[in-house]
Amino acid sequence: LPGLMPTQAVLKHRSTKSNDAEAHYELGNSMIALGQYESAATSYRLALKLKPNFVEAHYNLGNALKDSGQLEAAAVSFRRVLALQPDLVDAHYNLGNVYKDSCKFQDAASCYRQVLKRQPRDFDALNNMGISLQNLLRFEEAIASYHSALAIKPDFAEVHNNLGNANRDIGQIDQSIACYQNALKIRQDYFEAHSNLLFALNYSTSHSHASKLEQASYFGRTASKNASPRFSAWGCLMQPDKLRVGLVSGDLRNHVVGSFLEEVLAHIDPARIELIAYSTHTKEDELTERIRPHFSAWKSLTGKSDEEAARIIHADGLHILLDLSGHTAYNRLPVFAWKPAPIQASWLGYFATTGIAEMDYLLADEVGVPEEQREHFTETVWYLPATRLCFTPPKVELLVNPLPAMSNGTFTFGCFQDLTKVHDEVLAVWATIFSALPNARLRFQCKQLAEEAQVQRLMQRLQHHGINPMQVVLKSGTSREIYLAAHAEVDLILDTFPYPGGTTTCEALWMGLPTLTLAGESLLARQGASLLTAAGLPEWIVTSKVDYINKAIALTGDLPGLARLRAGLRQQVLTSSLFDATSFARNFEDALWGMWGARGQSDQV
C-alpha cells in the first residue's frame, strides 16, 4: 500500500480482512510509533470490540488518548485497565499523570501513592507526587517528596526545578534560585528552569538590573541557537485591510491574565484586527468559553515541539504575534526565537524583558517604564497611552461597605498578596508602622496560609521583626467572591515591594480601597504606580520607605477623608483609563498598526 512501510501494509491487510484483535492492536502500535494518535486509537478500539478485556489494548488506548489531549477518555481507559489488573504499576502512574494534567491533583496524588506503595524508590512518581501536593498547597510534604526523589536520583533536573517552584511559593527565594541554578547545571538548555530562574530573580533585591538583563539575554541566545534556521519570509499581506494577530498564552482561562484580557477582547474591532489564539495549556473554563468567540481560530500548542508550534503559527500568515506570558508558567518563548511572524511583541502577562532577540517590542506605559529605564529591555519599548493594562470588573454583586474604622474604633490595614512577595524588607517596614500604631491591625490573606506550617513560619517572621501577633489576623485563600467581600473588614491596603500587587490592587479599587504603593526602579516595581496613576490616585504613590511609613501612619488620622474616598472610589475607577476597555482597545489597535507600519523595509512578507 502506498505510503506504508511493509510491516504496516501487512498489518493493514490483516486488520481489514480478518477479525483479528491482535492485528488491530499491532496496527495501533505502528500508528503510535508514527505519532498518529487518532488512527492508533481507532485501531485499539477495533481490537477491544473483538476482545473487550484486552488489557494491553486498553492501556495503549489510554496512552494514545492522553497524547492526543483527550484526557477524560484516557482516564476511562486506564481505570478499565486497573479494573482488570489492579496491580499494574504503569497504569496507576499514567492515570496519575492524566489526573495531574487535568488539574485533578487529589486524584493524581492517590494514584502516585499506589505506585509508591509498590515501588517506593520510583523517583518519577515521587516527583509527580510533589507536583500534586504542591498544587494542593501541601508545601512541606511536596518538598519532602522532591528531596526523596533527589536522594535516589541527584541529577534529576526536573526535580531541582520543581523544588525551586515549591521554595518560591513559600517565599524562600534564595533557595528557589539555587534550585533552578542546580537544574541548569545538569541541563544547560532547560528552558523551563531558566524561565523560572528569571521569574524568581524579580523577587530578589540582591540582583542588579544589569545582571537580570544579562541572564535574560543568555536565555535568548540559547533559544536562538536552538531555532535554526529561523523564518525570514512570511505569507501575510503587505498592505492589509486588517491585521492578523496571534496571542500565545497558557492563561486563556480564569487567571490574572484573563482578568485584564476579557473586556479588551470584547471591544477589539474585528474590521481592524483579526485575532487567533494559540493556547499552551489544556485547562479551559467558563472564561475560556466567554472569550473564544472573539478569535477567528483557536489552536492548541500543547504537546507540540517548538519547531512544530512555530510552523503552525507561520502557516497562519500572521502580521503580529503577541506573547502574553513572558517567563511565567506555560510560556512558549523559545517558539518566538523561530520568528514565525514578522512582528513579535510581549504584553500583559509579564513585567520584565524576555531576553529574546527576535521579540521586537514590549508594550508598556510611561509610568511603568520611564524613558531612562528603557535600557532594561532587549525589546524596543512601545508605549501605550495612559496604561498598559485594562482591568475587567469582577462579575459579582457586591456593594462597597462604609469605612470599618468609623464604627469599630480599630484601623485595619490589609494585604492580599502572595506570600512570596512578603520578604523581610517588607516586614521590617510594616513593623515600624505597627510599632507607631499599637492599636492598628493587619489582615493578611493568601493561599499559602491554608497550610499550618506556613502560618507558623509567617508568625515567627512577624515576631522576629517585632510585630505583635495580637495585631495580626491571618487568613487562607478562598473563593473570589468571599475574598472580595473581605475588603469590607479593611480600611486601606499596604502594597508589597519590589513586587507590588496587580490584580489585587485593581480588585481593591473596585471594592473602594486605595493601595499605598512604593514605586521602584523597574517595570515590575512600578506596576502599582502605573495602576494607581491610571486610576487617578497618584497621591497614593511614594518613592521611599520613609515616605511609605509616614504616609501609612498619617492616613490613619484622616478617617473622614478615607470614608469619602471609599464611598466614591468604585465609580471613579470605573470611569478611569484603568477600567475603560473601549478606549484601551482603540489604543491597543493603534499600537498594533503602529508596530506594523514601523517594520523594517528589509522585511520580506
Side-chain angles (χ1 to χ4, degrees):
L1 296 177
L4 291 179
M5 295 185 295
T7 302
Q8 295 170 306
V10 172
L11 291 169
K12 181 71 174 176
H13 174 74
R14 287 179 63 192
S15 66
T16 56
K17 296 297 183 181
S18 68
N19 293 328
D20 189 337
E22 293 289 342
H24 289 296
Y25 172 72
E26 292 297 339
L27 180 58
N29 292 345
S30 296
M31 293 298 100
I32 285 283
L34 293 172
Q36 298 178 16
Y37 303 117
E38 295 287 352
S39 296
T42 298
S43 293
Y44 293 134
R45 287 191 178 106
L46 288 170
L48 289 166
K49 185 177 291 187
L50 297 169
K51 189 178 177 182
N53 291 336
F54 194 166
V55 172
E56 291 84 354
H58 280 295
Y59 179 80
N60 283 359
L61 174 59
N63 288 329
L65 292 168
K66 179 181 181 298
D67 289 340
S68 63
Q70 300 177 62
L71 299 181
E72 289 187 17
V76 171
S77 289
F78 289 128
R79 287 196 295 266
R80 179 61 179 157
V81 171
L82 291 169
L84 295 168
Q85 197 168 326
D87 288 328
L88 188 59
V89 172
D90 287 347
H92 283 292
Y93 179 75
N94 286 359
L95 180 57
N97 290 345
V98 169
Y99 284 140
K100 175 174 66 68
D101 293 346
S102 303
C103 299
K104 297 177 180 178
F105 298 110
Q106 193 69 58
D107 292 330
S110 296
C111 291
Y112 298 133
R113 284 192 192 92
Q114 292 298 318
V115 175
L116 294 168
K117 180 180 177 181
R118 295 165 175 81
Q119 295 179 179
R121 292 180 60 80
D122 189 320
F123 46 78
D124 286 315
L126 286 165
N127 176 45
N128 286 344
M129 173 67 89
I131 295 172
S132 301
L133 292 169
Q134 188 175 335
N135 279 280
L136 292 169
L137 309 182
R138 293 159 61 179
F139 300 103
E140 298 299 313
E141 293 176 77
I143 289 171
S145 192
Y146 293 139
H147 280 301
S148 295
L150 290 174
I152 300 166
K153 186 176 172 60
D155 62 346
F156 199 160
E158 288 81 359
V159 180
H160 285 288
N161 174 65
N162 293 336
L163 181 57
N165 292 341
N167 277 306
R168 184 190 68 205
D169 281 351
I170 61 173
Q172 305 293 318
I173 299 302
D174 291 341
Q175 291 92 323
S176 74
I177 289 172
C179 290
Y180 299 136
Q181 290 170 335
N182 288 336
L184 289 166
K185 287 176 185 176
I186 298 166
R187 281 176 47 196
Q188 291 184 346
D189 62 349
Y190 190 177
F191 288 115
E192 183 180 348
H194 204 157
S195 273
N196 286 333
L197 172 61
L198 290 166
F199 185 81
L201 288 173
N202 289 297
Y203 291 96
S204 173
T205 58
S206 58
H207 293 78
S208 67
H209 296 304
S211 67
K212 294 174 185 177
L213 179 61
E214 175 51 35
Q215 189 64 245
S217 298
Y218 180 75
F219 175 97
R221 290 193 297 272
T222 305
S224 296
K225 190 184 303 181
N226 287 2
S228 180
R230 73 171 200 169
F231 295 106
S232 57
W234 302 272
C236 54
L237 293 175
M238 185 82 167
Q239 296 180 326
D241 293 326
K242 61 181 175 181
L243 296 174
R244 286 172 63 83
V245 178
L247 276 62
V248 180
S249 177
D251 303 321
L252 303 175
R253 52 194 170 91
N254 282 322
H255 184 274
V256 170
V257 167
S259 297
F260 288 95
L261 190 63
E262 184 174 0
E263 282 297 304
V264 174
L265 292 177
H267 288 83
I268 292 292
D269 184 354
R272 299 187 75 197
I273 307 292
E274 176 189 357
L275 296 172
I276 299 175
Y278 300 98
S279 176
T280 64
H281 194 291
T282 57
K283 186 176 181 180
E284 297 183 351
D285 53 33
E286 63 275 10
L287 188 142
T288 308
E289 295 310 308
R290 291 200 300 268
I291 66 175
R292 193 188 298 271
H294 302 306
F295 296 92
S296 65
W298 189 286
K299 303 186 178 184
S300 174
L301 302 184
T302 304
K304 303 289 192 300
S305 70
D306 293 334
E307 182 175 1
E308 288 173 325
R311 293 193 182 282
I312 289 170
I313 295 169
H314 181 264
D316 286 334
L318 302 179
H319 297 94
I320 300 175
L321 183 65
L322 295 177
D323 156 56
L324 303 188
S325 298
H327 290 287
T328 63
Y330 308 108
N331 81 73
R332 295 301 301 270
L333 284 176
V335 172
F336 286 78
W338 289 85
K339 194 68 172 178
I343 301 296
Q344 303 187 147
S346 182
W347 170 62
L348 179 57
Y350 193 53
F351 29 71
T353 185
T354 65
I356 299 286
E358 294 78 13
M359 193 74 75
D360 303 290
Y361 296 104
L362 179 138
L363 277 69
D365 57 62
E366 293 183 352
V367 175
V369 184
E371 186 70 28
E372 65 273 15
Q373 292 179 13
R374 293 167 69 115
E375 63 186 19
H376 295 169
F377 304 89
T378 59
E379 304 87 354
T380 297
V381 176
W382 189 283
Y383 287 119
L384 289 167
T387 175
R388 78 180 186 102
L389 300 173
C390 182
F391 190 67
T392 303
K395 299 183 185 303
V396 296
E397 295 293 333
L398 281 175
L399 297 176
V400 174
N401 294 80
L403 190 78
M406 294 289 282
S407 57
N408 64 23
T410 301
F411 195 93
T412 303
F413 294 97
C415 184
F416 296 90
Q417 299 295 356
D418 194 278
L419 185 60
T420 311
K421 301 180 183 181
V422 186
H423 56 75
D424 286 342
E425 287 186 39
V426 172
L427 293 182
V429 168
W430 287 358
T432 303
I433 295 170
F434 287 100
S435 176
L437 301 169
N439 294 321
R441 297 289 181 268
L442 171 66
R443 188 187 193 283
F444 184 81
Q445 181 169 343
C446 69
K447 65 181 182 181
Q448 289 95 334
L449 297 181
E451 184 179 50
E452 183 60 27
Q454 305 314 317
V455 173
Q456 295 304 318
R457 180 177 288 122
L458 179 56
M459 273 298 188
Q460 290 170 3
R461 293 176 62 208
L462 291 166
Q463 288 180 285
H464 173 75
H465 286 280
I467 298 177
N468 184 348
M470 298 300 292
Q471 291 181 270
V472 180
V473 176
L474 300 181
K475 298 285 186 178
S476 61
T478 184
S479 70
R480 191 184 192 197
E481 187 167 355
I482 295 174
Y483 142 71
L484 289 170
H487 287 74
E489 304 173 27
V490 177
D491 295 294
L492 70 83
I493 301 293
L494 291 176
D495 213 349
T496 48
F497 51 86
Y499 195 155
T503 303
T504 53
T505 298
C506 295
E507 288 169 330
L509 291 170
W510 187 77
M511 290 303 302
L513 276 76
T515 295
L516 177 61
T517 194
L518 172 58
E521 298 180 353
S522 68
L523 172 56
L524 170 62
R526 299 183 64 80
Q527 179 170 261
S530 177
L531 296 174
L532 289 168
T533 299
L537 296 168
E539 67 275 16
W540 286 80
I541 304 165
V542 297
T543 57
S544 73
K545 294 175 185 175
V546 171
D547 288 343
Y548 184 101
I549 293 166
N550 291 338
K551 191 169 184 67
I553 294 170
L555 284 166
T556 65
D558 184 19
L559 298 188
L562 288 176
R564 287 192 299 272
L565 178 61
R566 188 185 189 102
L569 190 54
R570 178 179 290 182
Q571 185 58 37
Q572 175 181 327
V573 299
L574 286 176
T575 57
S576 72
S577 58
L578 183 59
F579 284 75
D580 185 355
T582 302
S583 296
F584 186 92
R586 298 293 84 77
N587 292 334
F588 185 67
E589 293 165 9
D590 290 344
L592 295 173
W593 276 101
M595 287 186 284
W596 176 250
R599 68 193 182 283
Q601 295 301 310
S602 61
D603 285 345
Q604 302 177 48
V605 293

